[in-house]
Amino acid sequence: MDDSDKKIKDLPTFIKLKEKFEGVGILVEMHHLLRQAGFVNDSLSEIAAQLPAQVTKMEKLLYLLDRFNEVFSCRGWIAYESLDVEIMERALTAAKEANMEEAEQLLADYYDNNKLHYMLVMMRGLEEYLVRDSLAQQAKEDYLAGRYHSCIPVILSMIDGMMNDIVGINFFAARGEVTAWDSIVGHDSGLTIIRSLFSESRNVTTAEKITIPYRHGIMHGRDVGYANKAVAAKAWATLFALRDWAVARKKSKDVLGKNRASTLPNPQENTEESADLSTDRIIASASWSPRTKVEIEKIINNQKSEAYSPGSPELRVDYFMQCWSKSNYGFMANCLSKLMNNMGNRDAARLRNKFQNCKLIGYSIINIEDKNPNTTVIETKINYVNAATQQEYTVNSNIVVIYETNKGDLVCSGDADGEWRVFEGSFMNIT
């Protein structure tokens, strides 16, 4: 198969996943024969009942990812790990009905206040982003206010600068790989296409409206008509895709044990170990679904520690809040996500500096949203008193809770190697 013909579904993890499903399918067929002979296994019966739906879900997802890139990459949109499946489905449905303008509007509207807040919190897991967080927050304010002329150059410069900090190459440079082995965003149909499209030379000054963030034309004053929502949203999308690329690059370095993550490994090399590391977790993710509205309302209506399910994200938040109320900064630090840092005792010192003048009075859960198999956002109303001024504050905070391993690797909720941890950046509005 020529490299240009490869699909996301051909990534090692997904090939391995397909093989595992096929293996389970054979086991299920044997189970049917055993049942006819009078041998019944309840666990296998449950697997047999769930398998067709899981296989269908996997095949649909893989088709969706490849089809999305086929339709939208030439327009400046690509699939990446953090992009919601639902918005890709809705955009493809609109495109199928020959309404490409509506499809692009759906994608642009996806990057609203809530999505930007959530993704910028997740961005703080990258060391290369932290120094740029202030700029990103100002770009967000400009974007939400419709000041696209202001935010677009800032986002493009952040993309370039972050890439340079990570691998020493400007994102928009003609050289250097932007692939990442065994990842959706790092596939040849992903960032490579976007980089090529956004880097096109623009040698004629024009005031005509553009819908692609042409870096050269915008930054060098040739594309005067760049200030619109479509261009801004595509710039945000690329920044967040770059975040997923950086995470995938780090994981591929950890798995392969060599500093060669910016290029694809030799196909002859042993890739079984890497695929095995993630396949079981992808199978778990394939069967994951968010809690129902009824389940969420039950939690919200009975906000007591003893009522929360063991190992739930809301129980972790409740424990964090109890530690805060008792000024137990060491235990608060134990609750922190390692996705952003792993500073040990220094976490406790930092939390002391931040929270010692903020006495928690109480908190309540307003809403819970299970974003994906390893991320839940708990909207809370927090009441506290500033010890220095004795002024009381009530703020709403979207507390991001991450299911991860001790090393800070994201895993599917329920995985024996993981637990829920609180993202420290969720409390930026506590002062």
PDB file of all heavy atoms in Angstrom, residues 316-317 319-321 323 330-338 401 404 420-423:
ATOM      1  N   ARG A 316     -13.995  12.692  44.212  1.00  0.00           N
ATOM      2  CA  ARG A 316     -12.647  13.254  44.258  1.00  0.00           C
ATOM      3  C   ARG A 316     -12.701  14.759  44.492  1.00  0.00           C
ATOM      4  O   ARG A 316     -11.933  15.307  45.294  1.00  0.00           O
ATOM      5  CB  ARG A 316     -11.906  12.958  42.961  1.00  0.00           C
ATOM      6  CG  ARG A 316     -10.536  13.616  42.847  1.00  0.00           C
ATOM      7  CD  ARG A 316      -9.608  13.182  43.952  1.00  0.00           C
ATOM      8  NE  ARG A 316      -9.114  11.834  43.741  1.00  0.00           N
ATOM      9  CZ  ARG A 316      -8.267  11.209  44.536  1.00  0.00           C
ATOM     10  NH1 ARG A 316      -7.799  11.827  45.615  1.00  0.00           N
ATOM     11  NH2 ARG A 316      -7.879   9.980  44.292  1.00  0.00           N
ATOM     12  N   VAL A 317     -13.632  15.444  43.828  1.00  0.00           N
ATOM     13  CA  VAL A 317     -13.790  16.887  44.025  1.00  0.00           C
ATOM     14  C   VAL A 317     -14.208  17.178  45.455  1.00  0.00           C
ATOM     15  O   VAL A 317     -13.709  18.114  46.101  1.00  0.00           O
ATOM     16  CB  VAL A 317     -14.808  17.459  43.013  1.00  0.00           C
ATOM     17  CG1 VAL A 317     -15.191  18.885  43.392  1.00  0.00           C
ATOM     18  CG2 VAL A 317     -14.237  17.427  41.600  1.00  0.00           C
ATOM     19  N   TYR A 319     -13.585  15.439  48.108  1.00  0.00           N
ATOM     20  CA  TYR A 319     -12.433  15.228  48.984  1.00  0.00           C
ATOM     21  C   TYR A 319     -11.474  16.418  48.903  1.00  0.00           C
ATOM     22  O   TYR A 319     -10.948  16.891  49.919  1.00  0.00           O
ATOM     23  CB  TYR A 319     -11.715  13.943  48.592  1.00  0.00           C
ATOM     24  CG  TYR A 319     -10.513  13.622  49.451  1.00  0.00           C
ATOM     25  CD1 TYR A 319     -10.652  13.187  50.769  1.00  0.00           C
ATOM     26  CD2 TYR A 319      -9.224  13.761  48.942  1.00  0.00           C
ATOM     27  CE1 TYR A 319      -9.549  12.893  51.550  1.00  0.00           C
ATOM     28  CE2 TYR A 319      -8.108  13.474  49.717  1.00  0.00           C
ATOM     29  CZ  TYR A 319      -8.286  13.039  51.019  1.00  0.00           C
ATOM     30  OH  TYR A 319      -7.188  12.752  51.788  1.00  0.00           O
ATOM     31  N   PHE A 320     -11.249  16.922  47.689  1.00  0.00           N
ATOM     32  CA  PHE A 320     -10.386  18.094  47.499  1.00  0.00           C
ATOM     33  C   PHE A 320     -10.939  19.280  48.277  1.00  0.00           C
ATOM     34  O   PHE A 320     -10.191  20.011  48.943  1.00  0.00           O
ATOM     35  CB  PHE A 320     -10.290  18.410  46.005  1.00  0.00           C
ATOM     36  CG  PHE A 320      -9.359  19.546  45.670  1.00  0.00           C
ATOM     37  CD1 PHE A 320      -8.013  19.315  45.412  1.00  0.00           C
ATOM     38  CD2 PHE A 320      -9.823  20.857  45.607  1.00  0.00           C
ATOM     39  CE1 PHE A 320      -7.152  20.363  45.098  1.00  0.00           C
ATOM     40  CE2 PHE A 320      -8.981  21.911  45.296  1.00  0.00           C
ATOM     41  CZ  PHE A 320      -7.639  21.652  45.044  1.00  0.00           C
ATOM     42  N   MET A 321     -12.257  19.468  48.194  1.00  0.00           N
ATOM     43  CA  MET A 321     -12.888  20.592  48.893  1.00  0.00           C
ATOM     44  C   MET A 321     -12.801  20.438  50.412  1.00  0.00           C
ATOM     45  O   MET A 321     -12.584  21.417  51.136  1.00  0.00           O
ATOM     46  CB  MET A 321     -14.353  20.713  48.457  1.00  0.00           C
ATOM     47  CG  MET A 321     -14.519  21.150  47.008  1.00  0.00           C
ATOM     48  SD  MET A 321     -13.782  22.777  46.696  1.00  0.00           S
ATOM     49  CE  MET A 321     -14.427  23.127  45.069  1.00  0.00           C
ATOM     50  N   CYS A 323     -10.440  18.908  52.011  1.00  0.00           N
ATOM     51  CA  CYS A 323      -9.047  19.214  52.362  1.00  0.00           C
ATOM     52  C   CYS A 323      -8.799  20.722  52.354  1.00  0.00           C
ATOM     53  O   CYS A 323      -8.080  21.251  53.214  1.00  0.00           O
ATOM     54  CB  CYS A 323      -8.096  18.524  51.379  1.00  0.00           C
ATOM     55  SG  CYS A 323      -8.092  16.721  51.510  1.00  0.00           S
ATOM     56  N   GLY A 330      -1.233  19.358  51.745  1.00  0.00           N
ATOM     57  CA  GLY A 330      -0.569  18.141  51.300  1.00  0.00           C
ATOM     58  C   GLY A 330      -1.544  17.165  50.674  1.00  0.00           C
ATOM     59  O   GLY A 330      -1.284  16.601  49.604  1.00  0.00           O
ATOM     60  N   PHE A 331      -2.703  16.980  51.322  1.00  0.00           N
ATOM     61  CA  PHE A 331      -3.713  16.086  50.773  1.00  0.00           C
ATOM     62  C   PHE A 331      -4.347  16.681  49.520  1.00  0.00           C
ATOM     63  O   PHE A 331      -4.726  15.954  48.600  1.00  0.00           O
ATOM     64  CB  PHE A 331      -4.774  15.773  51.828  1.00  0.00           C
ATOM     65  CG  PHE A 331      -4.366  14.702  52.787  1.00  0.00           C
ATOM     66  CD1 PHE A 331      -3.429  14.970  53.781  1.00  0.00           C
ATOM     67  CD2 PHE A 331      -4.890  13.434  52.713  1.00  0.00           C
ATOM     68  CE1 PHE A 331      -3.025  13.988  54.670  1.00  0.00           C
ATOM     69  CE2 PHE A 331      -4.498  12.441  53.604  1.00  0.00           C
ATOM     70  CZ  PHE A 331      -3.561  12.720  54.590  1.00  0.00           C
ATOM     71  N   MET A 332      -4.466  18.004  49.477  1.00  0.00           N
ATOM     72  CA  MET A 332      -4.963  18.653  48.256  1.00  0.00           C
ATOM     73  C   MET A 332      -4.021  18.355  47.093  1.00  0.00           C
ATOM     74  O   MET A 332      -4.463  18.044  45.976  1.00  0.00           O
ATOM     75  CB  MET A 332      -5.073  20.171  48.464  1.00  0.00           C
ATOM     76  CG  MET A 332      -6.201  20.613  49.372  1.00  0.00           C
ATOM     77  SD  MET A 332      -6.145  22.397  49.730  1.00  0.00           S
ATOM     78  CE  MET A 332      -6.641  23.087  48.136  1.00  0.00           C
ATOM     79  N   ALA A 333      -2.719  18.427  47.372  1.00  0.00           N
ATOM     80  CA  ALA A 333      -1.729  18.160  46.327  1.00  0.00           C
ATOM     81  C   ALA A 333      -1.826  16.739  45.810  1.00  0.00           C
ATOM     82  O   ALA A 333      -1.615  16.477  44.619  1.00  0.00           O
ATOM     83  CB  ALA A 333      -0.321  18.424  46.870  1.00  0.00           C
ATOM     84  N   ASN A 334      -2.190  15.793  46.691  1.00  0.00           N
ATOM     85  CA  ASN A 334      -2.329  14.403  46.267  1.00  0.00           C
ATOM     86  C   ASN A 334      -3.485  14.211  45.293  1.00  0.00           C
ATOM     87  O   ASN A 334      -3.538  13.215  44.578  1.00  0.00           O
ATOM     88  CB  ASN A 334      -2.546  13.495  47.484  1.00  0.00           C
ATOM     89  CG  ASN A 334      -1.304  13.378  48.341  1.00  0.00           C
ATOM     90  OD1 ASN A 334      -0.187  13.596  47.864  1.00  0.00           O
ATOM     91  ND2 ASN A 334      -1.482  13.048  49.616  1.00  0.00           N
ATOM     92  N   CYS A 335      -4.404  15.168  45.297  1.00  0.00           N
ATOM     93  CA  CYS A 335      -5.568  15.092  44.398  1.00  0.00           C
ATOM     94  C   CYS A 335      -5.273  15.655  43.011  1.00  0.00           C
ATOM     95  O   CYS A 335      -6.084  15.506  42.095  1.00  0.00           O
ATOM     96  CB  CYS A 335      -6.748  15.868  44.986  1.00  0.00           C
ATOM     97  SG  CYS A 335      -7.392  15.192  46.522  1.00  0.00           S
ATOM     98  N   LEU A 336      -4.143  16.347  42.846  1.00  0.00           N
ATOM     99  CA  LEU A 336      -3.878  17.066  41.608  1.00  0.00           C
ATOM    100  C   LEU A 336      -3.518  16.138  40.454  1.00  0.00           C
ATOM    101  O   LEU A 336      -2.805  15.148  40.632  1.00  0.00           O
ATOM    102  CB  LEU A 336      -2.745  18.073  41.803  1.00  0.00           C
ATOM    103  CG  LEU A 336      -3.029  19.291  42.678  1.00  0.00           C
ATOM    104  CD1 LEU A 336      -1.811  20.207  42.675  1.00  0.00           C
ATOM    105  CD2 LEU A 336      -4.274  20.036  42.217  1.00  0.00           C
ATOM    106  N   SER A 337      -3.965  16.516  39.279  1.00  0.00           N
ATOM    107  CA  SER A 337      -3.600  15.789  38.065  1.00  0.00           C
ATOM    108  C   SER A 337      -2.114  15.937  37.794  1.00  0.00           C
ATOM    109  O   SER A 337      -1.540  17.004  37.980  1.00  0.00           O
ATOM    110  CB  SER A 337      -4.387  16.349  36.875  1.00  0.00           C
ATOM    111  OG  SER A 337      -3.852  15.883  35.659  1.00  0.00           O
ATOM    112  N   LYS A 338      -1.478  14.858  37.358  1.00  0.00           N
ATOM    113  CA  LYS A 338      -0.071  14.885  36.999  1.00  0.00           C
ATOM    114  C   LYS A 338       0.109  15.170  35.511  1.00  0.00           C
ATOM    115  O   LYS A 338       1.232  15.197  35.013  1.00  0.00           O
ATOM    116  CB  LYS A 338       0.589  13.548  37.360  1.00  0.00           C
ATOM    117  CG  LYS A 338       0.561  13.245  38.852  1.00  0.00           C
ATOM    118  CD  LYS A 338       1.280  11.951  39.165  1.00  0.00           C
ATOM    119  CE  LYS A 338       1.158  11.595  40.638  1.00  0.00           C
ATOM    120  NZ  LYS A 338       1.733  12.609  41.536  1.00  0.00           N
ATOM    121  N   VAL A 401     -11.858  17.208  35.923  1.00  0.00           N
ATOM    122  CA  VAL A 401     -11.362  16.036  36.641  1.00  0.00           C
ATOM    123  C   VAL A 401     -10.894  15.006  35.604  1.00  0.00           C
ATOM    124  O   VAL A 401     -11.628  14.670  34.676  1.00  0.00           O
ATOM    125  CB  VAL A 401     -12.442  15.425  37.553  1.00  0.00           C
ATOM    126  CG1 VAL A 401     -11.809  14.510  38.595  1.00  0.00           C
ATOM    127  CG2 VAL A 401     -13.250  16.501  38.238  1.00  0.00           C
ATOM    128  N   GLU A 404      -6.439   9.281  35.192  1.00  0.00           N
ATOM    129  CA  GLU A 404      -5.076   9.091  34.706  1.00  0.00           C
ATOM    130  C   GLU A 404      -4.295   8.141  35.598  1.00  0.00           C
ATOM    131  O   GLU A 404      -4.710   7.826  36.723  1.00  0.00           O
ATOM    132  CB  GLU A 404      -4.358  10.446  34.656  1.00  0.00           C
ATOM    133  CG  GLU A 404      -4.267  11.119  36.016  1.00  0.00           C
ATOM    134  CD  GLU A 404      -3.595  12.482  35.968  1.00  0.00           C
ATOM    135  OE1 GLU A 404      -3.901  13.264  35.050  1.00  0.00           O
ATOM    136  OE2 GLU A 404      -2.794  12.763  36.876  1.00  0.00           O
ATOM    137  N   TRP A 420      -9.264   9.234  39.418  1.00  0.00           N
ATOM    138  CA  TRP A 420      -9.656  10.602  39.105  1.00  0.00           C
ATOM    139  C   TRP A 420      -8.762  11.588  39.855  1.00  0.00           C
ATOM    140  O   TRP A 420      -8.485  11.408  41.041  1.00  0.00           O
ATOM    141  CB  TRP A 420     -11.110  10.844  39.485  1.00  0.00           C
ATOM    142  CG  TRP A 420     -12.097  10.125  38.620  1.00  0.00           C
ATOM    143  CD1 TRP A 420     -12.830   9.022  38.946  1.00  0.00           C
ATOM    144  CD2 TRP A 420     -12.458  10.470  37.277  1.00  0.00           C
ATOM    145  NE1 TRP A 420     -13.615   8.647  37.892  1.00  0.00           N
ATOM    146  CE2 TRP A 420     -13.411   9.519  36.856  1.00  0.00           C
ATOM    147  CE3 TRP A 420     -12.063  11.461  36.389  1.00  0.00           C
ATOM    148  CZ2 TRP A 420     -13.977   9.547  35.580  1.00  0.00           C
ATOM    149  CZ3 TRP A 420     -12.620  11.501  35.126  1.00  0.00           C
ATOM    150  CH2 TRP A 420     -13.575  10.547  34.732  1.00  0.00           C
ATOM    151  N   ARG A 421      -8.319  12.622  39.127  1.00  0.00           N
ATOM    152  CA  ARG A 421      -7.529  13.685  39.752  1.00  0.00           C
ATOM    153  C   ARG A 421      -8.014  15.041  39.249  1.00  0.00           C
ATOM    154  O   ARG A 421      -8.490  15.177  38.120  1.00  0.00           O
ATOM    155  CB  ARG A 421      -6.039  13.505  39.448  1.00  0.00           C
ATOM    156  CG  ARG A 421      -5.411  12.296  40.153  1.00  0.00           C
ATOM    157  CD  ARG A 421      -3.905  12.436  40.202  1.00  0.00           C
ATOM    158  NE  ARG A 421      -3.270  11.316  40.893  1.00  0.00           N
ATOM    159  CZ  ARG A 421      -2.745  10.259  40.297  1.00  0.00           C
ATOM    160  NH1 ARG A 421      -2.785  10.181  38.976  1.00  0.00           N
ATOM    161  NH2 ARG A 421      -2.187   9.296  40.990  1.00  0.00           N
ATOM    162  N   VAL A 422      -7.814  16.046  40.072  1.00  0.00           N
ATOM    163  CA  VAL A 422      -8.317  17.394  39.795  1.00  0.00           C
ATOM    164  C   VAL A 422      -7.272  18.201  39.036  1.00  0.00           C
ATOM    165  O   VAL A 422      -6.086  18.200  39.403  1.00  0.00           O
ATOM    166  CB  VAL A 422      -8.676  18.101  41.120  1.00  0.00           C
ATOM    167  CG1 VAL A 422      -9.086  19.548  40.859  1.00  0.00           C
ATOM    168  CG2 VAL A 422      -9.787  17.349  41.841  1.00  0.00           C
ATOM    169  N   PHE A 423      -7.727  18.898  37.994  1.00  0.00           N
ATOM    170  CA  PHE A 423      -6.832  19.759  37.218  1.00  0.00           C
ATOM    171  C   PHE A 423      -6.706  21.104  37.930  1.00  0.00           C
ATOM    172  O   PHE A 423      -7.688  21.829  38.100  1.00  0.00           O
ATOM    173  CB  PHE A 423      -7.395  19.950  35.808  1.00  0.00           C
ATOM    174  CG  PHE A 423      -6.324  20.050  34.763  1.00  0.00           C
ATOM    175  CD1 PHE A 423      -5.927  18.933  34.050  1.00  0.00           C
ATOM    176  CD2 PHE A 423      -5.700  21.261  34.488  1.00  0.00           C
ATOM    177  CE1 PHE A 423      -4.943  19.012  33.086  1.00  0.00           C
ATOM    178  CE2 PHE A 423      -4.718  21.352  33.532  1.00  0.00           C
ATOM    179  CZ  PHE A 423      -4.331  20.222  32.826  1.00  0.00           C
TER     180      PHE A 423
END
